[in-house]
Amino acid sequence: MIASMNPAAVLVLAAGKSTRMKSRTPKFMHEIGGLSLLGHVVRSARALEPTYLAVVVGHGRDQVVPHLAQLDEGAQPVVQEEQRGTGHAVRTALEALPALDGTVVVTYADVPLLPVETLRQLLEGHRQAGAAATVLSAVVPDPSGYGRILRDEKGVSGIVEHKDATPEQAAIAEINSGIYAFDARLLTDALGRVKADNSQGEEYLTDVLGILREDGHTVSAVVAGDYQDILGVNDQLQLAELRRILNDRILAHWMRSGVTVVDPATTWVDTTVTLEPDATIHPNTQLRGTTTVAAGTQIGPDTTLIDTRIGADAQVIRTHGEGAQVGAGATVGPFAYLRPGTRLDAGGKIGTFVETKNAEIGPGAKVPHLTYVGDATIGEGTNIGAGTIFANYDGVAKHHTHVGSHSFVGSDSVLVAPRQIADGAYVAAGSTVVKDVEPGELAVARGQQRNIAGWVARKRAGTRTAEAAARAVDASGGTPAEPGGPPDGPPRDTGSVEDVPGRSGQ
Ligand code: UD1
Ligand code: CA
């Protein structure tokens, strides 16, 4: 039973010129919801599991054919050299395929919102009516431009194009979506008899319906429950309208499944994204590509995630992420840039003004502020101080740096790759690290500090700074240190790391 519903072929018409788009990109390749218009249509067509899936191409086919190959390897492009009408397009496709037996579905590449369920209703209605042809119709607020469905007591008697309609026919609100199910053999036969004797001089596919009726066959219509399913794209305004409708449908789907969308008007989610219940999406957030967001997360505001995976209960605030993975309970942002190959493990942190690329950051590790982590692994529980740079590029090649577990890199350090900082190691703040650091070592790589006593009094006499220094010395009851300062000795401390927790940033 199910198998008999599978059509022999789905034919997608995509040969027309998209003049009104005023774009170098063929209309069918413009994107909504993360997929081209053609992509949406081919996806629904494929879901019907037809024996053949053919796409009639013409204008812009240099771009459309390779694009189609990427979308669906099994889809067959058929070239229609001259666009001599929808009937001619279908005839061209049928001539390119072996003789078909069964049902042929015809649809348009610029009607992207048509759900596969509606196509199935069309097929089911077609089967139940035992029809030679069944048209998917819709009752629309403004029928102008569309073909009108002509009905009589026996069903559908024909379709008349807007340009050929009488005023009475033009008043009909039930329109032809341009999507049909046909008996393959009867369609082929009727197409041979279609003439181009109309106002546009084209072979109208719609004429097939009248021909089949005159032959004594049944022609029926299935009315789409939601007329928005059959809306087409002819210009940039309609492209934006349909994008909005699609987005509303996607958000409605996720909200019904338990996702909180704080501001649907500024939240954009691709059809290819997956969200779990109790994720909260804050305003101005775009979730694109293969992004997945687990339960209990907070995403946004002002966040774009492309092909990124967010684990349960994570928080991602004001972030741009692409090709990244964020573990359960981790926090990102505000103002973070996650580039491809970023993996932040459970409970970790990528904080403010941090950029990461090919960076694996272990469980509970923290990179809280002003840091670039490129081509690096960072072990569990390690803290990377504010302003640390993983210098991965020597001008020719990229190199990797490894920082072990429970280590501590002081603020304003440069780790020059390739570099190994062991487990349980320290790097003093302000170090430029060009030698590996072993377990338990502290690396200090910076000029030593000299304090020159009395310098302000001598060199900045009469300034407010000098006055403040004098007051401070008086108040402490001390005497100013000897000019010239203390002799150089070993550094009294090694930076931020020994006795002041958090000096490298928390
Ligand atoms: C067609 C229908 C009309 C229907 C409307 C719905 C006919 C004669 N009319 O009108 O009843 O209400 O669609 O949108 O069928 N195409 C080709 N090759 C061609 C001609 C068209 O591939 O030679 C493709 C176009 O790229 C487009 C689709 O077929 O995707 C529809 O063609 P178009 O000329 O826009 O048909 P309409 O005049 O809109
Ligand atoms: Ca059209």
Side-chain angles (χ1 to χ4, degrees), residues 77-126:
V78 174
V79 176
Q80 186 194 22
E81 289 289 351
E82 272 180 87
Q83 282 67 54
R84 284 157 41 192
T86 48
H88 180 257
V90 170
R91 192 154 64 80
T92 305
L94 291 176
E95 282 165 7
L97 296 175
L100 298 174
D101 209 358
T103 305
V104 171
V105 172
V106 175
T107 184
Y108 294 164
D110 55 4
V111 180
L113 300 184
L114 188 70
V116 67
E117 293 75 32
T118 307
L119 282 171
R120 290 208 174 96
Q121 285 162 18
L122 171 69
L123 284 170
E124 183 56 24
H126 180 66

Side-chain angles (χ1 to χ4, degrees), residues 20 27 108 110 233-234:
R20 280 184 281 164
K27 169 166 79 176
Y108 294 164
D110 55 4
V233 173
N234 294 301

Side-chain angles (χ1 to χ4, degrees), residues 280-298:
T280 300
I281 315 298
H282 293 278
N284 263 319
T285 293
Q286 295 102 41
L287 303 178
R288 296 172 46 193
T290 57
T291 295
T292 60
V293 175
T297 47
Q298 302 282 329

